[in-house]
Amino acid sequence: MSDMIPPGPFLADWVFLHAARSPAAPAVASAATRLTYGDLAERVRNLAGHLAAHGVGPGSRVLLALPNLPVTVVAGLAINALGATSVEVNREWSAAILGDIVRRSGVRHAFLWARDAPTWHASFEGSNVDRAWIVARGPFPPTFEEAIGGVAVALLLEDGRVDPALGAAPAFEPPTLAADMPALVLYTSGSTGSPHGVIQTFGNIDANSRAIVEYLGLTGDDRALIALPLFYCYGRSVLQTHLLVGGSVFLDGRMAFPRAVLESLAAEGCTGFAGVPLTFEIFRRQVDVSGMTFPRLRYVTQAGGAMAPDTIAWARNAFRPARVFVMYGQTEATARLSYLPPERAGDKAGSIGIPIPGVELRVVGEDGVELPPGEIGELVARGANVTPGYLGEPDATAAILHDGWLWTGDLAERDEEGFLYHRGRAKEILKIGGHRASPVEIEEVVAGHPDVAEAAVVGVPHDLLGEVPHAFVVPRPGSSTDEAAILRWCRENLAGPRAPVAITLVERLPRTASGKLLRAELRESLRRG
């Protein structure tokens, strides 16, 4: 291990060590703010002192509901420096879902974005929240406390500074921490019902970060552009890995303006970029990259679902000579479980690769017995990055953790060399005439038609076969999409009843904020007719 990589598993300690060694080194930046490691450490200690003075310490849970800003990083590290748990949520979820999370998690402190006050007024009803740390670009209105139900408020700025009106912070006294203490609670989804809160310990984060650093070869010279939300395990892992090695990140939340993001990638001298399939589809459709160069970019990573083969090919060409890593993971595994080495992209197309360092992956049947190569079963994982469970949900935890193994709920098969291929979610597998079929495999074939940009497949009821595939297709811009021609293509390239029986053309596929496909919404649209 490099002597520049901190030996302990605690996030704030990583920052403090790099600040002591290289205080002027860049750490976290945005369009408006640039923090060195010295700046970051000072602001973390200052905020931690204020939090401790108001009762935050080991065992506390603190809500973090902020956009991607330097203060978001400062707040998360300050919470963790006290041995407390940062409960991180998507601030765009409904008031009902957010309120349920607030009450179930038992948070008493919350970091909020000022303009979200109306949402939180409803979400705090019946909760234990008694203090809100409000992030604003300037002084918030005097009526803000009334706007969120009378909760005491304190002001923070986007750069992580505390309102001077609060006075000097008490000296920060770090508590004794343990690797098995919960550092984060990240939520799996907020699209329907109550999302699961995945506990990530300091040890989980440490193991996952070190494994990613190893296969990406990260050093203190690396700088990543983060366009993914920090409440999402993928975006959070990019931050964590760079803080571990003493690298830096540039936070850019402007995916509504994709060209601006790519311009920042070049102008900021970024060496790395991470995206979900939707990220790269947006770049591909909306930005002409032919005249753009990324002089320091050396790697690009993709996770968060299967990406169309031609989009992967586009990314490899657009970001050449940067290496493109296709990866797979889950929030329950902190972030990452497998990666496809770029040099195997040609002969292992469609694979999610091999286990990351320190992780075991198996494909098993319903009895838990490992299956031979070529057979589809559930993917299970074991490693120090696997969650101890869901917050306050022992039954849901018991459903995914068995004898030290995480049952991912994903179907996969492995080849003779041990490379894994994702075959869909177990609960989404199609049962056609008594035979199982992966919607992902069908989607890959549909998306192979030259007029198709994206495809998603769901099962629909059938009197004879039980269910049959129905495909939703996003046409490629400028194409004269012929549904009959696509159906013919499917019948020619898919055996028997695996070919979709119908095609629905759509402008876009429904996805979560992190880019995950929402098949349930597609099924519901068919049910409604």
Side-chain angles (χ1 to χ4, degrees):
M1 179 176 62
S2 167
D3 60 4
M4 290 302 292
I5 298 180
F10 307 115
L11 288 85
D13 287 350
W14 301 347
V15 171
F16 297 153
L17 181 60
H18 292 308
R21 290 171 169 170
S22 306
V28 178
S30 67
T33 301
R34 294 183 183 272
L35 301 182
T36 65
Y37 270 95
D39 297 330
L40 182 58
E42 184 273 330
R43 290 175 198 193
V44 168
R45 287 191 172 100
N46 187 47
L47 180 55
H50 280 289
L51 287 170
H54 289 281
V56 176
S60 301
R61 298 189 193 111
V62 180
L63 188 78
L64 196 58
L66 296 173
N68 279 21
L69 298 167
V71 66
T72 311
V73 179
V74 171
L77 290 169
I79 294 165
N80 288 158
L82 295 169
T85 305
S86 179
V87 179
E88 312 210 357
V89 298
N90 180 354
R91 42 185 277 274
E92 296 182 357
W93 286 341
S94 70
I97 289 176
L98 292 172
D100 182 59
I101 290 172
V102 166
R103 288 183 288 274
R104 285 193 291 135
S105 63
V107 297
R108 295 192 60 184
H109 288 245
F111 285 85
L112 310 175
W113 187 230
R115 67 184 64 170
D116 297 338
T119 296
W120 293 108
H121 183 275
S123 300
F124 286 163
E125 290 181 4
S127 77
N128 295 321
V129 176
D130 55 24
R131 189 169 188 84
W133 301 80
I134 309 303
V135 176
R137 289 195 164 94
F140 51 80
T143 58
F144 196 95
E145 291 189 44
E146 289 77 6
I148 59 172
V151 173
V153 296
L155 178 65
L156 287 173
L157 299 180
E158 288 186 30
D159 61 6
R161 288 178 295 152
V162 178
D163 183 359
L166 290 180
F172 165 62
E173 297 182 6
T176 300
L177 304 180
D180 62 355
M181 294 173 65
L184 299 176
V185 173
L186 300 183
Y187 285 83
T188 53
S189 173
S191 55
T192 57
S194 298
H196 294 300
V198 179
I199 299 169
Q200 296 183 354
T201 67
F202 288 105
N204 291 155
I205 295 167
D206 181 70
N208 194 71
S209 298
R210 291 177 193 276
I212 296 171
V213 164
E214 181 177 336
Y215 72 75
L216 289 183
L218 299 180
T219 72
D221 292 328
D222 277 299
R223 179 176 182 81
L225 187 147
I226 301 181
L228 299 168
L230 291 175
F231 61 77
Y232 175 35
C233 68
Y234 186 10
R236 178 62 61 172
S237 73
V238 177
L239 171 66
Q240 292 160 349
T241 51
H242 285 72
L243 292 181
L244 174 60
V245 298
S248 61
V249 298
F250 183 80
L251 304 173
D252 196 328
R254 298 176 297 170
M255 277 306 297
F257 306 96
R259 185 174 186 88
V261 173
L262 290 177
E263 288 172 348
S264 289
L265 187 65
E268 290 292 325
C270 293
T271 61
F273 179 78
V276 296
L278 181 60
T279 310
F280 297 102
E281 283 294 340
I282 289 173
F283 287 154
R284 183 183 182 188
R285 295 182 198 179
Q286 298 185 28
V287 183
D288 178 5
V289 299
S290 59
M292 304 184 77
T293 58
F294 309 99
R296 294 195 66 218
L297 190 66
R298 69 174 189 82
Y299 76 90
V300 173
T301 64
Q302 177 265 311
M307 191 156 78
D310 56 346
T311 303
I312 295 176
W314 174 88
R316 294 187 192 284
N317 182 64
F319 297 110
R320 191 181 304 276
R323 304 173 77 207
V324 177
F325 289 77
V326 173
M327 310 186 305
Y328 162 82
Q330 286 194 330
T331 309
E332 290 86 348
T334 305
R336 198 62 50 233
L337 284 170
S338 73
Y339 75 103
L340 179 63
E343 60 271 16
R344 301 303 302 270
D347 65 317
K348 299 296 182 182
S351 173
I352 57 172
I354 57 178
I356 68 170
V359 165
E360 295 178 73
L361 293 176
R362 294 180 181 174
V363 177
V364 303
E366 294 181 0
D367 56 3
V369 175
E370 188 167 14
L371 298 173
E375 290 195 24
I376 295 176
E378 185 161 348
L379 187 64
V380 298
R382 182 165 65 180
N385 59 328
V386 170
T387 179
Y390 297 125
L391 180 64
E393 296 187 82
D395 291 342
T397 297
I400 62 165
L401 297 178
H402 304 283
D403 299 322
W405 290 89
L406 168 67
W407 286 61
T408 66
D410 284 322
L411 297 175
E413 65 177 290
R414 62 182 175 88
D415 65 16
E416 294 288 350
E417 290 186 75
F419 282 77
L420 296 156
Y421 294 79
H422 185 256
R423 298 308 186 203
R425 295 289 290 169
K427 63 183 179 182
E428 293 171 348
I429 202 72
L430 305 182
K431 295 180 180 178
I432 307 170
H435 298 282
R436 299 198 304 176
S438 164
V440 174
E441 289 182 290
I442 299 172
E443 287 161 1
E444 290 175 353
V445 172
V446 179
H449 190 281
D451 290 341
V452 176
E454 286 187 281
V457 169
V458 299
V460 295
H462 188 274
D463 290 340
L464 179 61
L465 298 175
E467 65 178 341
V468 290
H470 184 112
F472 289 81
V473 166
V474 178
R476 193 168 299 286
S479 66
S480 54
T481 308
D482 183 337
E483 295 174 47
I486 297 174
L487 288 172
R488 284 196 300 274
W489 166 275
C490 293
R491 287 193 291 270
E492 291 168 0
N493 290 278
L494 285 163
R498 291 196 306 149
V501 297
I503 299 283
T504 298
L505 299 180
V506 293
E507 292 184 0
R508 62 180 181 82
L509 298 176
R511 297 184 182 275
T512 65
S514 58
K516 296 288 183 68
L517 178 65
L518 295 171
R519 293 185 198 275
E521 287 194 15
L522 296 175
R523 285 191 290 269
E524 179 62 18
S525 69
L526 291 176
R527 189 190 67 80
R528 293 194 306 263

